[in-house]
Amino acid sequence: MGAATVAVTDATFDKEVRQSDVPVVVDFWAEWCGPCRQIGPALEELAAEYGGKIKIVKVNVDENPDSPAALGVRGIPSLFLFKNGEVASNKVGAAPKAALKNWIDSAI
């Protein structure tokens, strides 16, 4: 069984994201956001496909307002790719799985 997405909170953000030894895709989302739910399954599949090469984590913006605020997140879904603790790339809005994969591949 491959890796799944990991729920991250404001409290665990630094440890799980900034201190990760592999690139991390952060999905800022909320229960009420249709497009967020739309890309959820694609992110789960990608997490499994990449195995341990990258980590995909989800931050619920309603429960964890500090992390998105610190990054200037305006709309969701917002995806940020962190590499060596820094933002390497970001993408706003839902996209098909192939487009998400291309974005990740180009950023790592």
Side-chain angles (χ1 to χ4, degrees):
M1 186 65 194
T5 60
V6 179
V8 168
T9 64
D10 284 340
T12 60
F13 193 87
D14 275 359
K15 181 179 183 302
E16 291 283 355
V17 177
R18 294 189 187 277
Q19 294 162 24
S20 173
D21 47 10
V22 294
V24 183
V25 173
V26 183
D27 172 26
F28 289 103
W29 73 288
E31 286 289 347
W32 48 264
C33 164
C36 299
R37 290 202 306 274
Q38 195 184 334
I39 65 170
L43 291 173
E44 294 291 340
E45 289 171 22
L46 288 168
E49 285 170 24
Y50 282 102
K53 291 200 290 287
I54 66 161
K55 183 159 70 171
I56 300 180
V57 305
K58 297 171 80 82
V59 176
N60 183 319
V61 297
D62 289 338
E63 295 165 7
N64 303 283
D66 297 347
S67 307
L71 290 164
V73 172
R74 299 261 181 280
I76 54 173
S78 265
L79 300 170
F80 281 74
L81 194 142
F82 281 79
K83 215 168 149 183
N84 305 317
E86 302 292 325
V87 176
S89 183
N90 72 302
K91 181 177 186 59
V92 179
K97 181 179 165 188
L100 294 172
K101 183 172 179 2
N102 286 343
W103 171 69
I104 293 169
D105 287 343
S106 70
I108 59 175

